[in-house]
Amino acid sequence: MTQVSMVVNGKQVSGEVEGRTLLVQFLRESLGLTGTHVGCDTSQCGACLVHVNGEAVKACTMLALEAEGAEVGTIEGQANADGSLNVIQQAFQDHHGLQCGFCTPGMVMSAAALLKENPKPSEHEIREYLEGNICRCTGYHNIVKAILAASGQDVTAIAAE
């Protein structure tokens, strides 16, 4: 077992892990942050997406030891300081960008990374950016609409589906 330390959602954390422990396992099993989902274990679905040092990373493909000393952000750290939904989360709620909710944490984390890189993405750019995230329920239309809304763009021209 090896000691690993990192900052998760602004708090210093540490724990003992085996060398093969994935970051997603450490977050869920050691820290109890179960919002980061395990969907495929092959980095295909994006349900485990977190931010590591400001970059979007699929936590099922990164060892916990690789995050030593890093700043990690999970879906649990996305809410506003008072516990209310942040602008992206609120847009997902307002524009029905979720259905079963399993993919939602990864989608929100992807949206946050995209809007950090590109504050006013086009519909095409959003769809392209989300190619690494799978949703089996919504058909993506309302997810794209929610991200456009979160970026402050007018979504009235987008037809309802």
Side-chain angles (χ1 to χ4, degrees):
M1 299 290 273
T2 304
Q3 187 76 15
V4 64
S5 297
M6 62 190 77
V7 175
V8 178
N9 298 327
K11 296 178 184 170
Q12 183 68 43
V13 300
S14 62
E16 287 193 353
V17 296
E18 294 182 34
R20 65 182 179 187
T21 302
L22 297 171
L23 179 57
V24 70
Q25 293 169 311
F26 180 70
L27 294 170
R28 290 179 59 81
E29 297 166 18
S30 297
L31 303 181
L33 298 173
T34 57
T36 303
H37 293 160
V38 179
C40 67
D41 284 326
T42 60
S43 81
Q44 301 298 309
C45 75
C48 67
L49 200 124
V50 298
H51 298 166
V52 178
N53 293 330
E55 298 294 321
V57 173
K58 292 181 179 177
C60 75
T61 61
M62 182 176 192
L63 296 172
L65 291 172
E66 292 178 292
E68 172 66 36
E71 292 203 18
V72 178
T74 70
I75 190 67
E76 289 88 351
Q78 289 296 297
N80 295 319
D82 66 359
S84 63
L85 300 178
N86 75 11
V87 67
I88 298 168
Q89 293 168 313
Q90 190 63 56
F92 268 70
Q93 181 177 354
D94 293 345
H95 296 280
H96 311 289
L98 57 102
Q99 194 163 346
C100 82
F102 191 82
C103 73
T104 305
M107 291 288 187
V108 169
M109 297 302 287
S110 286
L114 169 60
L115 295 178
K116 180 181 170 191
E117 287 177 25
N118 182 355
K120 299 286 184 195
S122 67
E123 181 178 349
H124 174 75
E125 290 169 324
I126 293 169
R127 289 183 184 279
E128 190 172 86
Y129 198 88
L130 293 179
E131 284 183 355
N133 295 75
I134 295 174
C135 175
R136 291 177 173 89
C137 299
T138 68
Y140 300 93
H141 180 77
N142 288 339
I143 293 170
V144 172
K145 192 173 183 179
I147 296 169
L148 281 169
S151 73
Q153 298 182 68
D154 181 23
V155 297
T156 57
I158 297 176
E161 284 186 17

